Amino acid sequence: MENRKKVAFYTLGCKLNFSETSTIARNFNDEGFDRVDFEEVADIYVINTCSVTENADKQFKQVVKKAMKLNEKAFVAAVGCYAQLKPEELAAVDGVDLVLGATEKFKITDYIHDLSKNDMGEVHSCEIAEADFYVGSYSIGDRTRAFLKVQDGCDYKCTYCTIPLARGISRSDALENVLQNAKEISAQNIREIVLTGVNIGDYGKGEFGNKKHEHTFLDLVQALDKVEGIERLRISSIEPNLLKNETIEFVSKSRTFVPHFHIPLQSGSNAILKLMKRRYLREVYTERVNKIREVMPHACIGVDVIVGFPGETDEHFLETYHFLNEMDISYLHVFTYSERDNTEAANMSGVVPANVRAKRSKMLRGLSVKKRRAFYESQLGTNRTVLFESENKEGYIHGFTENYVKVKTPWNPELINTLQEINLTKIDEDGSVRLEFLNKLAEV
């Protein structure tokens, strides 16, 4: 029997990248490769890159080093957003043999015939305008939940963002493909599916490889809600201007969609939102949060916010801080603005010094801790359903309720990947919530 080659994967960045890595890994499997863990010796290491933060650039070099330590003769391929934006830069990193851009990454096995090391990474990256076809994907790694990609690319022109340059125009999977993928996932005893994409509220656009539009995001959630075998569906990040009241209403009555929304705000100052070329003002954001609270008082609402954008004065920042402080939200993801090449914001005046960016970031992270604590406290004494994960962390098993409260209870392997009815009792020192089982059978 011939010796099968081993391939290992490393993913930087977002949930969408994880779903695409999973699909690329299945392609390797179909070509006769065995997938191994990235910590193991492999013949090929594939690194799926990200371009959103400064750290992603540094992380990439560290990951390549790690692969080379494991096997200095290994073939190293870089794919993904950073590979599309700065292919030459990645190709010049010591140890990198192949760099594939946005359209090539799903055909990676076509490029790997000869696994001998190259002196300089070989680059195959398209003009991003050619990234106009859609490749569906989903991830199955963590067996309690899967990320299902429904959309790719973005037509928005936010002044700080490189994603349209890295991923191309907005395009969607055909509805029947999404439903088919969802059925395949649920057939593998996976309890929760997280919908992911670059701009998922734009779903429907480009469903037929052109701008023709048959379905909307609401159609998508309504159709997914009917798929048998799926127990939980979660919407990942969705733009406030694309989260319609009808969708919020539907989720509140849905069989499978959970009361958890993650809605990017980016700034609580209208002046900064205009500089960012966001497609809404803060008043729209307030309306969305109020609507969610009206129909789902117990919903979890997460917020993305960027600090230190060019032109952000102390007054603008305090406007954001007070806006968030007064709003009934559950947690923040805080991003410190970092300049990206070929973006409008990189040439703007009013650059905020790095130490000021760091201070603002720290203030908002502190606010996030306070908000999460208040949200968890508001949930104590309520009955919820928790999906338990598979890791034993210092003698405890963790899980999340439908409204994204993190819980913990003493380790019991029988709870892995099960949904349990529980009552939330108290907040532990580490910030997670302790519970009582409502069903005594679970206490075995």
Side-chain angles (χ1 to χ4, degrees):
M1 189 177 136
E2 65 179 296
N3 204 359
R4 283 162 68 99
K5 298 274 185 215
K6 294 188 170 78
V7 60
F9 297 87
Y10 198 101
T11 306
L12 296 162
C14 62
K15 295 183 175 97
L16 181 56
N17 272 4
F18 278 94
S19 76
E20 293 183 343
T21 298
S22 233
T23 296
I24 292 167
R26 287 194 287 277
N27 294 344
F28 270 96
N29 204 22
D30 295 345
E31 296 289 329
F33 287 84
D34 287 329
R35 181 174 184 174
V36 297
D37 196 71
F38 202 86
E39 313 295 323
E40 295 176 42
V41 173
D43 300 290
I44 303 177
Y45 292 94
V46 178
I47 304 166
N48 195 352
T49 63
C50 166
S51 67
V52 172
T53 63
E54 279 299 338
N55 286 348
D57 313 5
K58 298 188 189 86
Q59 279 176 308
F60 174 73
K61 289 179 178 144
Q62 286 161 357
V63 177
V64 175
K65 263 199 190 122
K66 192 170 161 186
M68 293 284 81
K69 258 197 190 124
L70 289 162
N71 178 8
E72 59 179 22
K73 295 191 173 69
F75 189 89
V76 176
V79 301
C81 290
Y82 193 32
Q84 174 65 37
L85 288 174
K86 304 232 172 135
E88 276 72 27
E89 211 170 283
L90 291 194
V93 172
D94 212 23
V96 175
D97 300 293
L98 179 67
V99 179
L100 297 181
T103 61
E104 290 78 15
K105 64 188 169 195
F106 292 107
K107 302 180 287 206
I108 181 169
T109 51
D110 297 351
Y111 293 100
I112 297 179
H113 304 302
D114 169 17
L115 293 184
S116 51
K117 298 290 289 172
N118 295 325
D119 292 340
M120 176 82 181
E122 188 184 317
V123 174
H124 296 274
S125 89
C126 61
E127 287 302 312
I128 197 60
E130 291 166 27
D132 57 1
F133 58 89
Y134 184 86
V135 178
S137 43
Y138 58 84
S139 78
I140 297 182
D142 174 355
R143 61 197 201 108
T144 48
R145 68 173 57 82
F147 300 125
L148 171 58
K149 173 180 162 186
V150 299
Q151 183 274 345
D152 199 350
C154 189
D155 292 342
Y156 288 8
K157 299 281 186 286
C158 301
T159 54
Y160 52 83
C161 186
T162 56
I163 292 206
L165 301 171
R167 283 187 170 269
I169 58 169
S170 178
R171 51 210 190 275
S172 309
D173 204 350
L175 188 58
E176 38 299 356
N177 284 354
V178 175
L179 297 176
Q180 182 54 41
N181 284 341
K183 285 174 189 148
E184 284 175 23
I185 293 168
S186 67
Q188 301 189 43
N189 195 25
I190 286 170
R191 310 277 182 192
E192 181 177 308
I193 295 176
V194 182
L195 301 186
T196 175
V198 172
N199 186 357
I200 63 173
D202 210 22
Y203 176 81
K205 195 182 278 183
E207 209 184 334
F208 302 96
N210 51 25
K211 289 291 175 201
K212 208 159 99 71
H213 226 281
E214 188 179 329
H215 296 106
T216 62
F217 184 69
L218 180 61
D219 295 335
L220 174 73
V221 297
Q222 288 173 332
L224 279 166
D225 196 48
K226 297 190 185 100
V227 176
E228 283 181 30
I230 298 175
E231 295 180 69
R232 271 190 183 182
L233 281 156
R234 202 177 288 278
I235 298 168
S236 68
S237 189
I238 183 165
E239 295 283 302
N241 51 309
L242 295 174
L243 177 58
K244 301 285 188 261
N245 283 345
E246 296 83 2
T247 305
I248 296 170
E249 294 269 2
F250 181 77
V251 168
S252 74
K253 301 185 187 78
S254 148
R255 178 181 72 87
T256 53
F257 278 90
V258 295
H260 176 203
F261 294 88
H262 192 93
I263 315 165
L265 169 68
Q266 311 310 17
S267 175
S269 157
N270 282 341
I272 298 297
L273 288 173
K274 286 173 184 168
L275 283 175
M276 290 176 165
K277 290 192 178 166
R278 301 292 285 157
R279 296 199 176 190
Y280 54 86
L281 296 174
R282 58 186 258 168
E283 290 72 15
V284 169
Y285 202 91
T286 307
E287 278 169 28
R288 291 302 175 268
V289 171
N290 291 346
K291 178 66 184 175
I292 293 168
R293 287 281 165 245
E294 179 198 318
V295 294
M296 288 172 272
H298 62 297
C300 179
I301 302 174
V303 183
D304 284 344
V305 60
I306 295 171
V307 296
F309 189 79
E312 184 185 62
T313 61
D314 286 344
E315 288 73 24
H316 292 134
F317 171 71
L318 287 172
E319 219 183 320
T320 296
Y321 187 92
H322 294 309
F323 181 67
L324 289 165
N325 191 29
E326 282 155 28
M327 203 177 302
D328 190 359
I329 52 152
S330 317
Y331 64 89
L332 304 171
H333 280 173
V334 183
F335 298 89
T336 305
Y337 172 74
S338 65
E339 286 78 0
R340 312 311 276 156
D341 289 346
N342 302 318
T343 59
E344 233 180 289
N347 303 315
M348 285 181 180
S349 58
V351 172
V352 178
N355 62 329
V356 177
R357 295 185 208 186
K359 185 176 144 203
R360 290 176 186 172
S361 173
K362 195 173 172 187
M363 279 178 72
L364 283 183
R365 286 174 209 273
L367 180 62
S368 181
V369 170
K370 194 178 104 178
K371 286 285 185 186
R372 194 184 297 266
R373 177 92 191 184
F375 173 60
Y376 281 9
E377 282 174 357
S378 75
Q379 296 304 301
L380 294 180
T382 63
N383 294 345
R384 297 281 169 239
T385 306
V386 64
L387 173 59
F388 283 103
E389 308 200 333
S390 54
E391 217 180 319
N392 181 344
K393 287 184 184 163
E394 296 170 3
Y396 287 93
I397 186 168
H398 290 77
F400 284 94
T401 63
E402 65 274 38
N403 61 340
Y404 215 56
V405 173
K406 188 178 187 183
V407 302
K408 69 188 271 196
T409 197
W411 173 254
N412 173 358
E414 288 178 27
L415 292 174
I416 293 172
N417 198 32
T418 65
L419 286 157
Q420 300 287 344
E421 304 294 316
I422 55 120
N423 180 272
L424 298 169
T425 57
K426 62 172 192 186
I427 300 178
D428 210 44
E429 288 114 56
D430 66 358
S432 52
V433 180
R434 302 299 288 262
L435 56 93
E436 276 172 5
F437 289 99
L438 297 175
N439 168 3
K440 293 296 171 197
L441 292 176
E443 291 179 340
V444 287

